[in-house]
Amino acid sequence: MRTRLLPLLIVLMASVLLALGFPLAVSVAAAEQQRVVIDRIDDTARFAALAQFITERTRGYDERRRTLQTELETYDSVYGIRAGVFYRDDSAMAKAPAAWRLPVEGEGRAAFSEALLGRRSHDPPQVWPWQDGRVVVASPVVRDGDVIAVVVIDSPTGQMRGDTMRGWLLIAAGEAVAMLVAVGAAIRLTGWVLLPVKTLDAAAHDIASGRMRSRVAASGGPPELRRLARSFNEMADNVEDVLEQQRAFVADASHQLRNPLAALLLRIELLALELPEGNEEIASVRTEGRRLGQVLDDLLDLALAEHAESDLQLTDIGALTAERVASWRPVAEEKGVRLRADGPPAVTAWADPIALSSALDAIIDNALKFTPPDEEVRVTVASGSKDVTVVVADGGPGLTEQELERVGDRFWRSPQHQNIHGSGLGLSISQALLAAGGGSLSYARKEPCGLSVTVSVPRHDPKG
């Protein structure tokens, strides 16, 4: 969620900063050009005052004309700005540099024509830093109410564009600093808002994995999320209480039923002494009694497995698996089934050795039960980046796709296996034992026939 919320906040803040930065940059450029234009207007006003009293088209030496010419030449040499005073017919009263001519068209001509009408030319178009433009300003020279000449200043914009660019760089630096501050604030804000969500997610995952005592510390984040954390803890407490009551009931019922069942079986044996040897009904009752006893034992084991804490250790899965295969090999040889173990001899992972041994015993026992003679049960250990797997593949009839969806359910047995001894709780017990330590069980068809059961245990400590 943080990876989705944080970019959204950053994009929103960047949009706001850009929305403020662009008008500010335009304002800086306009203000810089306006400063230059006002300065040039002042200069045109000064030159117009000098030209106002020059006798029109005087030949020979004219002190006022010479003063104006000197001022224009000094202005050009100091500032590098072309300036001139032109009569209405475009002839020059005075100008600098000497080779400069009034343009025939363009901004200079438009400013000159506007000044001939008795008013100062309009502000020139905006010149941006990437444009090599010029600023042209024209003011009329008025005598006795008539426009006798026009002062035209054609100014380069290099310095103005440089000043504008420096202003823009300052704006960009300010925006970058503001963006960094905003990103830091967004990271802190999203962390503060999502901390309870992250904690809730971790606690929910722990509970789903069987660690029912996991809770959320409702101490950070917005009030709504703190209230949600408290509600989650209350829900987890209620769920744990209900499950604890169920486990206690199953354990107590299994334990309490064993004594009456033992007494019942004893009375059946006493009755059997009064009946002829080999009575089929007595044999059937004995079988069902022993089966009921096995179911009660398995129920008690299941209740204990779901309630017990896992003692996780860094375990050599290869050695433990080889040990369990060696223990079951005599049973396999007695049935005529080949039991083989493959994989590296030393592979470590985090597991409860007792729980994993019990789970492997139950899975190998099932595989040997359903594998006919002269077939093979293969136990393969493999190591991945995140977990270590032990795959037990048998050579039995296997299960259909519909049956694979139900395998591992409590008391469920395939209809084709009803005549084989068992309670239907072995895989459920194994799954509960593995889940307590972060492990899992999965099932798949083995081609061309048989069932493949995969035990997965984590390579890294799930509590770390």
Side-chain angles (χ1 to χ4, degrees), residues 235-281:
M235 179 197 69
D237 290 338
N238 293 332
V239 170
E240 186 180 15
D241 290 342
V242 171
L243 291 178
E244 186 60 33
Q245 291 173 7
Q246 291 180 350
R247 292 170 186 154
F249 172 77
V250 172
D252 292 343
S254 302
H255 187 270
Q256 294 298 325
L257 286 174
R258 293 182 68 180
N259 291 333
L261 179 61
L264 180 61
L265 291 176
L266 180 59
R267 286 174 172 77
I268 290 173
E269 292 298 331
L270 293 176
L271 285 175
L273 296 176
E274 305 296 328
L275 296 175
E277 187 70 25
N279 187 283
E280 294 182 359
E281 292 297 327

mmCIF file of all heavy atoms in Angstrom, residues 235-281:
data_model
loop_
_atom_site.group_PDB
_atom_site.id
_atom_site.type_symbol
_atom_site.label_atom_id
_atom_site.label_comp_id
_atom_site.label_asym_id
_atom_site.label_seq_id
_atom_site.Cartn_x
_atom_site.Cartn_y
_atom_site.Cartn_z
ATOM 1 N N MET A 235 -11.261 -9.128 18.395
ATOM 2 C CA MET A 235 -11.696 -10.235 17.538
ATOM 3 C C MET A 235 -10.760 -11.429 17.673
ATOM 4 O O MET A 235 -11.201 -12.580 17.784
ATOM 5 C CB MET A 235 -11.738 -9.763 16.088
ATOM 6 C CG MET A 235 -12.152 -10.849 15.103
ATOM 7 S SD MET A 235 -11.740 -10.427 13.393
ATOM 8 C CE MET A 235 -9.957 -10.515 13.461
ATOM 9 N N ALA A 236 -9.425 -11.155 17.676
ATOM 10 C CA ALA A 236 -8.462 -12.250 17.802
ATOM 11 C C ALA A 236 -8.609 -12.961 19.141
ATOM 12 O O ALA A 236 -8.496 -14.193 19.220
ATOM 13 C CB ALA A 236 -7.044 -11.709 17.632
ATOM 14 N N ASP A 237 -8.873 -12.180 20.213
ATOM 15 C CA ASP A 237 -9.088 -12.805 21.521
ATOM 16 C C ASP A 237 -10.301 -13.728 21.492
ATOM 17 O O ASP A 237 -10.260 -14.849 22.032
ATOM 18 C CB ASP A 237 -9.278 -11.725 22.592
ATOM 19 C CG ASP A 237 -7.993 -10.957 22.874
ATOM 20 O OD1 ASP A 237 -6.908 -11.496 22.586
ATOM 21 O OD2 ASP A 237 -8.079 -9.820 23.375
ATOM 22 N N ASN A 238 -11.389 -13.251 20.882
ATOM 23 C CA ASN A 238 -12.600 -14.076 20.813
ATOM 24 C C ASN A 238 -12.375 -15.340 19.980
ATOM 25 O O ASN A 238 -12.808 -16.432 20.359
ATOM 26 C CB ASN A 238 -13.755 -13.262 20.232
ATOM 27 C CG ASN A 238 -14.189 -12.142 21.150
ATOM 28 O OD1 ASN A 238 -14.031 -12.239 22.365
ATOM 29 N ND2 ASN A 238 -14.735 -11.075 20.587
ATOM 30 N N VAL A 239 -11.684 -15.172 18.836
ATOM 31 C CA VAL A 239 -11.415 -16.344 17.997
ATOM 32 C C VAL A 239 -10.533 -17.342 18.732
ATOM 33 O O VAL A 239 -10.770 -18.564 18.698
ATOM 34 C CB VAL A 239 -10.755 -15.900 16.669
ATOM 35 C CG1 VAL A 239 -10.253 -17.108 15.889
ATOM 36 C CG2 VAL A 239 -11.736 -15.115 15.819
ATOM 37 N N GLU A 240 -9.525 -16.824 19.439
ATOM 38 C CA GLU A 240 -8.638 -17.726 20.174
ATOM 39 C C GLU A 240 -9.396 -18.453 21.284
ATOM 40 O O GLU A 240 -9.183 -19.648 21.515
ATOM 41 C CB GLU A 240 -7.470 -16.941 20.760
ATOM 42 C CG GLU A 240 -6.425 -17.836 21.426
ATOM 43 C CD GLU A 240 -5.272 -17.050 21.998
ATOM 44 O OE1 GLU A 240 -5.407 -15.826 22.144
ATOM 45 O OE2 GLU A 240 -4.237 -17.674 22.299
ATOM 46 N N ASP A 241 -10.306 -17.726 21.957
ATOM 47 C CA ASP A 241 -11.091 -18.365 23.016
ATOM 48 C C ASP A 241 -11.969 -19.479 22.457
ATOM 49 O O ASP A 241 -12.057 -20.569 23.044
ATOM 50 C CB ASP A 241 -11.964 -17.328 23.723
ATOM 51 C CG ASP A 241 -11.139 -16.367 24.575
ATOM 52 O OD1 ASP A 241 -9.977 -16.715 24.880
ATOM 53 O OD2 ASP A 241 -11.642 -15.280 24.905
ATOM 54 N N VAL A 242 -12.612 -19.184 21.305
ATOM 55 C CA VAL A 242 -13.477 -20.202 20.699
ATOM 56 C C VAL A 242 -12.667 -21.427 20.284
ATOM 57 O O VAL A 242 -13.058 -22.573 20.540
ATOM 58 C CB VAL A 242 -14.234 -19.601 19.496
ATOM 59 C CG1 VAL A 242 -14.956 -20.696 18.723
ATOM 60 C CG2 VAL A 242 -15.230 -18.554 19.962
ATOM 61 N N LEU A 243 -11.518 -21.188 19.630
ATOM 62 C CA LEU A 243 -10.683 -22.315 19.215
ATOM 63 C C LEU A 243 -10.141 -23.084 20.415
ATOM 64 O O LEU A 243 -10.045 -24.316 20.383
ATOM 65 C CB LEU A 243 -9.529 -21.807 18.350
ATOM 66 C CG LEU A 243 -9.901 -21.268 16.981
ATOM 67 C CD1 LEU A 243 -8.666 -20.744 16.258
ATOM 68 C CD2 LEU A 243 -10.572 -22.350 16.135
ATOM 69 N N GLU A 244 -9.792 -22.363 21.473
ATOM 70 C CA GLU A 244 -9.291 -23.023 22.670
ATOM 71 C C GLU A 244 -10.377 -23.902 23.293
ATOM 72 O O GLU A 244 -10.112 -25.014 23.763
ATOM 73 C CB GLU A 244 -8.812 -21.973 23.669
ATOM 74 C CG GLU A 244 -8.142 -22.551 24.895
ATOM 75 C CD GLU A 244 -6.914 -23.357 24.553
ATOM 76 O OE1 GLU A 244 -6.223 -23.007 23.581
ATOM 77 O OE2 GLU A 244 -6.659 -24.355 25.257
ATOM 78 N N GLN A 245 -11.608 -23.380 23.290
ATOM 79 C CA GLN A 245 -12.716 -24.186 23.813
ATOM 80 C C GLN A 245 -12.933 -25.437 22.965
ATOM 81 O O GLN A 245 -13.178 -26.527 23.495
ATOM 82 C CB GLN A 245 -13.994 -23.343 23.851
ATOM 83 C CG GLN A 245 -13.959 -22.221 24.885
ATOM 84 C CD GLN A 245 -15.149 -21.302 24.778
ATOM 85 O OE1 GLN A 245 -16.078 -21.567 24.002
ATOM 86 N NE2 GLN A 245 -15.136 -20.214 25.542
ATOM 87 N N GLN A 246 -12.818 -25.280 21.629
ATOM 88 C CA GLN A 246 -12.972 -26.450 20.759
ATOM 89 C C GLN A 246 -11.873 -27.479 21.006
ATOM 90 O O GLN A 246 -12.141 -28.683 21.107
ATOM 91 C CB GLN A 246 -12.961 -26.008 19.300
ATOM 92 C CG GLN A 246 -14.185 -25.219 18.869
ATOM 93 C CD GLN A 246 -14.124 -24.812 17.421
ATOM 94 O OE1 GLN A 246 -13.085 -24.950 16.773
ATOM 95 N NE2 GLN A 246 -15.222 -24.292 16.897
ATOM 96 N N ARG A 247 -10.629 -26.983 21.108
ATOM 97 C CA ARG A 247 -9.539 -27.917 21.358
ATOM 98 C C ARG A 247 -9.696 -28.613 22.707
ATOM 99 O O ARG A 247 -9.459 -29.819 22.829
ATOM 100 C CB ARG A 247 -8.206 -27.163 21.320
ATOM 101 C CG ARG A 247 -7.826 -26.643 19.957
ATOM 102 C CD ARG A 247 -6.645 -25.711 20.060
ATOM 103 N NE ARG A 247 -6.330 -25.080 18.776
ATOM 104 C CZ ARG A 247 -5.719 -23.924 18.646
ATOM 105 N NH1 ARG A 247 -5.354 -23.252 19.719
ATOM 106 N NH2 ARG A 247 -5.457 -23.427 17.453
ATOM 107 N N ALA A 248 -10.065 -27.810 23.712
ATOM 108 C CA ALA A 248 -10.247 -28.405 25.034
ATOM 109 C C ALA A 248 -11.352 -29.441 25.018
ATOM 110 O O ALA A 248 -11.237 -30.515 25.642
ATOM 111 C CB ALA A 248 -10.552 -27.306 26.059
ATOM 112 N N PHE A 249 -12.428 -29.131 24.278
ATOM 113 C CA PHE A 249 -13.524 -30.087 24.203
ATOM 114 C C PHE A 249 -13.086 -31.379 23.519
ATOM 115 O O PHE A 249 -13.386 -32.484 23.989
ATOM 116 C CB PHE A 249 -14.696 -29.467 23.440
ATOM 117 C CG PHE A 249 -15.800 -30.452 23.160
ATOM 118 C CD1 PHE A 249 -16.680 -30.825 24.165
ATOM 119 C CD2 PHE A 249 -15.954 -31.013 21.899
ATOM 120 C CE1 PHE A 249 -17.693 -31.749 23.910
ATOM 121 C CE2 PHE A 249 -16.943 -31.921 21.634
ATOM 122 C CZ PHE A 249 -17.830 -32.288 22.645
ATOM 123 N N VAL A 250 -12.364 -31.245 22.389
ATOM 124 C CA VAL A 250 -11.907 -32.442 21.677
ATOM 125 C C VAL A 250 -10.964 -33.256 22.549
ATOM 126 O O VAL A 250 -11.065 -34.487 22.645
ATOM 127 C CB VAL A 250 -11.220 -32.046 20.355
ATOM 128 C CG1 VAL A 250 -10.569 -33.261 19.702
ATOM 129 C CG2 VAL A 250 -12.236 -31.438 19.403
ATOM 130 N N ALA A 251 -10.026 -32.569 23.226
ATOM 131 C CA ALA A 251 -9.072 -33.289 24.072
ATOM 132 C C ALA A 251 -9.775 -33.958 25.239
ATOM 133 O O ALA A 251 -9.512 -35.131 25.550
ATOM 134 C CB ALA A 251 -8.003 -32.312 24.566
ATOM 135 N N ASP A 252 -10.692 -33.200 25.888
ATOM 136 C CA ASP A 252 -11.387 -33.785 27.043
ATOM 137 C C ASP A 252 -12.289 -34.931 26.623
ATOM 138 O O ASP A 252 -12.347 -35.975 27.294
ATOM 139 C CB ASP A 252 -12.215 -32.699 27.748
ATOM 140 C CG ASP A 252 -11.330 -31.655 28.417
ATOM 141 O OD1 ASP A 252 -10.130 -31.945 28.614
ATOM 142 O OD2 ASP A 252 -11.836 -30.560 28.730
ATOM 143 N N ALA A 253 -13.004 -34.731 25.496
ATOM 144 C CA ALA A 253 -13.897 -35.798 25.037
ATOM 145 C C ALA A 253 -13.108 -37.052 24.669
ATOM 146 O O ALA A 253 -13.495 -38.174 25.016
ATOM 147 C CB ALA A 253 -14.713 -35.308 23.841
ATOM 148 N N SER A 254 -11.989 -36.854 23.972
ATOM 149 C CA SER A 254 -11.163 -38.008 23.601
ATOM 150 C C SER A 254 -10.634 -38.723 24.839
ATOM 151 O O SER A 254 -10.638 -39.956 24.912
ATOM 152 C CB SER A 254 -9.998 -37.552 22.729
ATOM 153 O OG SER A 254 -10.465 -36.893 21.578
ATOM 154 N N HIS A 255 -10.199 -37.938 25.809
ATOM 155 C CA HIS A 255 -9.639 -38.543 27.019
ATOM 156 C C HIS A 255 -10.713 -39.248 27.840
ATOM 157 O O HIS A 255 -10.511 -40.364 28.347
ATOM 158 C CB HIS A 255 -8.962 -37.454 27.857
ATOM 159 C CG HIS A 255 -8.218 -37.991 29.034
ATOM 160 N ND1 HIS A 255 -8.816 -38.150 30.266
ATOM 161 C CD2 HIS A 255 -6.940 -38.432 29.170
ATOM 162 C CE1 HIS A 255 -7.935 -38.664 31.122
ATOM 163 N NE2 HIS A 255 -6.778 -38.832 30.479
ATOM 164 N N GLN A 256 -11.881 -38.606 27.972
ATOM 165 C CA GLN A 256 -12.934 -39.184 28.794
ATOM 166 C C GLN A 256 -13.560 -40.411 28.151
ATOM 167 O O GLN A 256 -14.033 -41.312 28.862
ATOM 168 C CB GLN A 256 -14.029 -38.127 29.059
ATOM 169 C CG GLN A 256 -13.563 -36.958 29.908
ATOM 170 C CD GLN A 256 -13.110 -37.381 31.297
ATOM 171 O OE1 GLN A 256 -13.679 -38.308 31.886
ATOM 172 N NE2 GLN A 256 -12.069 -36.733 31.808
ATOM 173 N N LEU A 257 -13.582 -40.481 26.837
ATOM 174 C CA LEU A 257 -14.191 -41.635 26.158
ATOM 175 C C LEU A 257 -13.291 -42.863 26.169
ATOM 176 O O LEU A 257 -13.771 -43.975 25.918
ATOM 177 C CB LEU A 257 -14.537 -41.263 24.711
ATOM 178 C CG LEU A 257 -15.746 -40.344 24.527
ATOM 179 C CD1 LEU A 257 -15.873 -39.937 23.068
ATOM 180 C CD2 LEU A 257 -17.024 -41.039 24.994
ATOM 181 N N ARG A 258 -12.006 -42.676 26.432
ATOM 182 C CA ARG A 258 -11.104 -43.833 26.382
ATOM 183 C C ARG A 258 -11.398 -44.822 27.501
ATOM 184 O O ARG A 258 -11.357 -46.040 27.286
ATOM 185 C CB ARG A 258 -9.651 -43.350 26.475
ATOM 186 C CG ARG A 258 -9.215 -42.562 25.256
ATOM 187 C CD ARG A 258 -7.779 -42.143 25.341
ATOM 188 N NE ARG A 258 -6.882 -43.296 25.255
ATOM 189 C CZ ARG A 258 -5.569 -43.221 25.300
ATOM 190 N NH1 ARG A 258 -5.006 -42.030 25.437
ATOM 191 N NH2 ARG A 258 -4.836 -44.297 25.223
ATOM 192 N N ASN A 259 -11.720 -44.330 28.694
ATOM 193 C CA ASN A 259 -12.003 -45.259 29.805
ATOM 194 C C ASN A 259 -13.272 -46.077 29.570
ATOM 195 O O ASN A 259 -13.249 -47.318 29.710
ATOM 196 C CB ASN A 259 -12.098 -44.488 31.120
ATOM 197 C CG ASN A 259 -10.743 -43.950 31.546
ATOM 198 O OD1 ASN A 259 -9.711 -44.512 31.189
ATOM 199 N ND2 ASN A 259 -10.740 -42.884 32.327
ATOM 200 N N PRO A 260 -14.403 -45.435 29.202
ATOM 201 C CA PRO A 260 -15.586 -46.268 28.886
ATOM 202 C C PRO A 260 -15.336 -47.225 27.728
ATOM 203 O O PRO A 260 -15.830 -48.361 27.743
ATOM 204 C CB PRO A 260 -16.659 -45.230 28.532
ATOM 205 C CG PRO A 260 -16.228 -43.978 29.191
ATOM 206 C CD PRO A 260 -14.732 -44.008 29.178
ATOM 207 N N LEU A 261 -14.562 -46.789 26.733
ATOM 208 C CA LEU A 261 -14.286 -47.674 25.608
ATOM 209 C C LEU A 261 -13.443 -48.864 26.047
ATOM 210 O O LEU A 261 -13.691 -50.010 25.619
ATOM 211 C CB LEU A 261 -13.563 -46.894 24.508
ATOM 212 C CG LEU A 261 -13.179 -47.691 23.263
ATOM 213 C CD1 LEU A 261 -14.427 -48.263 22.588
ATOM 214 C CD2 LEU A 261 -12.393 -46.842 22.291
ATOM 215 N N ALA A 262 -12.460 -48.614 26.904
ATOM 216 C CA ALA A 262 -11.642 -49.723 27.404
ATOM 217 C C ALA A 262 -12.493 -50.707 28.196
ATOM 218 O O ALA A 262 -12.349 -51.945 28.066
ATOM 219 C CB ALA A 262 -10.500 -49.175 28.264
ATOM 220 N N ALA A 263 -13.397 -50.169 29.024
ATOM 221 C CA ALA A 263 -14.287 -51.060 29.786
ATOM 222 C C ALA A 263 -15.208 -51.844 28.865
ATOM 223 O O ALA A 263 -15.459 -53.044 29.079
ATOM 224 C CB ALA A 263 -15.105 -50.231 30.785
ATOM 225 N N LEU A 264 -15.695 -51.174 27.827
ATOM 226 C CA LEU A 264 -16.573 -51.852 26.871
ATOM 227 C C LEU A 264 -15.832 -52.974 26.143
ATOM 228 O O LEU A 264 -16.372 -54.086 25.974
ATOM 229 C CB LEU A 264 -17.119 -50.825 25.873
ATOM 230 C CG LEU A 264 -18.062 -51.367 24.794
ATOM 231 C CD1 LEU A 264 -19.309 -51.992 25.428
ATOM 232 C CD2 LEU A 264 -18.466 -50.263 23.826
ATOM 233 N N LEU A 265 -14.601 -52.714 25.738
ATOM 234 C CA LEU A 265 -13.820 -53.752 25.056
ATOM 235 C C LEU A 265 -13.522 -54.925 25.991
ATOM 236 O O LEU A 265 -13.490 -56.096 25.556
ATOM 237 C CB LEU A 265 -12.517 -53.150 24.518
ATOM 238 C CG LEU A 265 -12.668 -52.156 23.353
ATOM 239 C CD1 LEU A 265 -11.311 -51.565 22.988
ATOM 240 C CD2 LEU A 265 -13.284 -52.844 22.134
ATOM 241 N N LEU A 266 -13.294 -54.626 27.267
ATOM 242 C CA LEU A 266 -13.053 -55.695 28.231
ATOM 243 C C LEU A 266 -14.288 -56.576 28.390
ATOM 244 O O LEU A 266 -14.185 -57.819 28.427
ATOM 245 C CB LEU A 266 -12.653 -55.080 29.576
ATOM 246 C CG LEU A 266 -12.352 -56.077 30.708
ATOM 247 C CD1 LEU A 266 -11.215 -57.021 30.305
ATOM 248 C CD2 LEU A 266 -12.022 -55.355 31.999
ATOM 249 N N ARG A 267 -15.466 -55.955 28.450
ATOM 250 C CA ARG A 267 -16.697 -56.743 28.566
ATOM 251 C C ARG A 267 -16.941 -57.568 27.294
ATOM 252 O O ARG A 267 -17.464 -58.694 27.362
ATOM 253 C CB ARG A 267 -17.887 -55.820 28.848
ATOM 254 C CG ARG A 267 -17.892 -55.308 30.285
ATOM 255 C CD ARG A 267 -19.004 -54.285 30.511
ATOM 256 N NE ARG A 267 -19.130 -53.935 31.911
ATOM 257 C CZ ARG A 267 -18.335 -53.130 32.587
ATOM 258 N NH1 ARG A 267 -17.308 -52.580 31.947
ATOM 259 N NH2 ARG A 267 -18.534 -52.872 33.861
ATOM 260 N N ILE A 268 -16.562 -57.010 26.165
ATOM 261 C CA ILE A 268 -16.703 -57.777 24.909
ATOM 262 C C ILE A 268 -15.801 -59.005 24.948
ATOM 263 O O ILE A 268 -16.196 -60.107 24.511
ATOM 264 C CB ILE A 268 -16.382 -56.878 23.710
ATOM 265 C CG1 ILE A 268 -17.481 -55.813 23.524
ATOM 266 C CG2 ILE A 268 -16.222 -57.697 22.430
ATOM 267 C CD1 ILE A 268 -17.160 -54.780 22.482
ATOM 268 N N GLU A 269 -14.611 -58.855 25.489
ATOM 269 C CA GLU A 269 -13.715 -60.007 25.589
ATOM 270 C C GLU A 269 -14.271 -61.052 26.537
ATOM 271 O O GLU A 269 -14.138 -62.271 26.307
ATOM 272 C CB GLU A 269 -12.329 -59.544 26.076
ATOM 273 C CG GLU A 269 -11.570 -58.678 25.086
ATOM 274 C CD GLU A 269 -11.272 -59.423 23.792
ATOM 275 O OE1 GLU A 269 -11.132 -60.659 23.827
ATOM 276 O OE2 GLU A 269 -11.210 -58.756 22.728
ATOM 277 N N LEU A 270 -14.928 -60.586 27.631
ATOM 278 C CA LEU A 270 -15.541 -61.540 28.562
ATOM 279 C C LEU A 270 -16.699 -62.282 27.893
ATOM 280 O O LEU A 270 -16.892 -63.492 28.096
ATOM 281 C CB LEU A 270 -16.024 -60.808 29.815
ATOM 282 C CG LEU A 270 -14.920 -60.225 30.707
ATOM 283 C CD1 LEU A 270 -15.528 -59.435 31.861
ATOM 284 C CD2 LEU A 270 -14.032 -61.344 31.249
ATOM 285 N N LEU A 271 -17.481 -61.513 27.103
ATOM 286 C CA LEU A 271 -18.584 -62.170 26.372
ATOM 287 C C LEU A 271 -18.049 -63.169 25.356
ATOM 288 O O LEU A 271 -18.670 -64.213 25.091
ATOM 289 C CB LEU A 271 -19.438 -61.124 25.674
ATOM 290 C CG LEU A 271 -20.390 -60.303 26.557
ATOM 291 C CD1 LEU A 271 -21.066 -59.219 25.730
ATOM 292 C CD2 LEU A 271 -21.447 -61.228 27.185
ATOM 293 N N ALA A 272 -16.888 -62.840 24.767
ATOM 294 C CA ALA A 272 -16.338 -63.731 23.755
ATOM 295 C C ALA A 272 -15.958 -65.087 24.343
ATOM 296 O O ALA A 272 -15.940 -66.099 23.629
ATOM 297 C CB ALA A 272 -15.108 -63.086 23.113
ATOM 298 N N LEU A 273 -15.687 -65.134 25.655
ATOM 299 C CA LEU A 273 -15.340 -66.417 26.280
ATOM 300 C C LEU A 273 -16.531 -67.365 26.310
ATOM 301 O O LEU A 273 -16.357 -68.593 26.370
ATOM 302 C CB LEU A 273 -14.827 -66.174 27.705
ATOM 303 C CG LEU A 273 -13.527 -65.365 27.815
ATOM 304 C CD1 LEU A 273 -13.172 -65.119 29.280
ATOM 305 C CD2 LEU A 273 -12.389 -66.078 27.097
ATOM 306 N N GLU A 274 -17.760 -66.791 26.283
ATOM 307 C CA GLU A 274 -18.966 -67.616 26.336
ATOM 308 C C GLU A 274 -19.439 -68.056 24.959
ATOM 309 O O GLU A 274 -20.379 -68.841 24.850
ATOM 310 C CB GLU A 274 -20.098 -66.834 27.019
ATOM 311 C CG GLU A 274 -19.759 -66.305 28.400
ATOM 312 C CD GLU A 274 -19.493 -67.446 29.380
ATOM 313 O OE1 GLU A 274 -20.108 -68.513 29.237
ATOM 314 O OE2 GLU A 274 -18.663 -67.240 30.291
ATOM 315 N N LEU A 275 -18.810 -67.516 23.908
ATOM 316 C CA LEU A 275 -19.244 -67.826 22.542
ATOM 317 C C LEU A 275 -18.262 -68.779 21.884
ATOM 318 O O LEU A 275 -17.110 -68.906 22.323
ATOM 319 C CB LEU A 275 -19.331 -66.526 21.732
ATOM 320 C CG LEU A 275 -20.387 -65.514 22.226
ATOM 321 C CD1 LEU A 275 -20.298 -64.240 21.421
ATOM 322 C CD2 LEU A 275 -21.794 -66.117 22.147
ATOM 323 N N PRO A 276 -18.723 -69.421 20.842
ATOM 324 C CA PRO A 276 -17.837 -70.364 20.142
ATOM 325 C C PRO A 276 -16.617 -69.635 19.570
ATOM 326 O O PRO A 276 -16.676 -68.455 19.208
ATOM 327 C CB PRO A 276 -18.721 -70.936 19.030
ATOM 328 C CG PRO A 276 -20.123 -70.681 19.480
ATOM 329 C CD PRO A 276 -20.100 -69.453 20.306
ATOM 330 N N GLU A 277 -15.504 -70.345 19.458
ATOM 331 C CA GLU A 277 -14.274 -69.783 18.901
ATOM 332 C C GLU A 277 -14.476 -69.420 17.430
ATOM 333 O O GLU A 277 -15.069 -70.178 16.671
ATOM 334 C CB GLU A 277 -13.150 -70.809 19.031
ATOM 335 C CG GLU A 277 -11.787 -70.294 18.639
ATOM 336 C CD GLU A 277 -11.246 -69.286 19.630
ATOM 337 O OE1 GLU A 277 -11.656 -69.323 20.811
ATOM 338 O OE2 GLU A 277 -10.427 -68.448 19.220
ATOM 339 N N GLY A 278 -13.998 -68.230 17.037
ATOM 340 C CA GLY A 278 -14.083 -67.805 15.641
ATOM 341 C C GLY A 278 -15.392 -67.150 15.268
ATOM 342 O O GLY A 278 -15.714 -67.054 14.074
ATOM 343 N N ASN A 279 -16.170 -66.705 16.260
ATOM 344 C CA ASN A 279 -17.434 -66.035 15.974
ATOM 345 C C ASN A 279 -17.163 -64.737 15.202
ATOM 346 O O ASN A 279 -16.395 -63.885 15.632
ATOM 347 C CB ASN A 279 -18.163 -65.734 17.296
ATOM 348 C CG ASN A 279 -19.563 -65.189 17.056
ATOM 349 O OD1 ASN A 279 -19.718 -64.029 16.710
ATOM 350 N ND2 ASN A 279 -20.569 -66.043 17.241
ATOM 351 N N GLU A 280 -17.816 -64.596 14.041
ATOM 352 C CA GLU A 280 -17.549 -63.452 13.172
ATOM 353 C C GLU A 280 -18.031 -62.131 13.774
ATOM 354 O O GLU A 280 -17.393 -61.083 13.585
ATOM 355 C CB GLU A 280 -18.202 -63.665 11.806
ATOM 356 C CG GLU A 280 -17.586 -64.816 11.017
ATOM 357 C CD GLU A 280 -18.231 -64.962 9.655
ATOM 358 O OE1 GLU A 280 -19.163 -64.169 9.361
ATOM 359 O OE2 GLU A 280 -17.803 -65.840 8.880
ATOM 360 N N GLU A 281 -19.146 -62.150 14.512
ATOM 361 C CA GLU A 281 -19.669 -60.919 15.089
ATOM 362 C C GLU A 281 -18.720 -60.361 16.146
ATOM 363 O O GLU A 281 -18.483 -59.152 16.209
ATOM 364 C CB GLU A 281 -21.049 -61.175 15.702
ATOM 365 C CG GLU A 281 -22.132 -61.496 14.684
ATOM 366 C CD GLU A 281 -22.353 -60.325 13.744
ATOM 367 O OE1 GLU A 281 -22.202 -59.159 14.175
ATOM 368 O OE2 GLU A 281 -22.667 -60.557 12.565
#
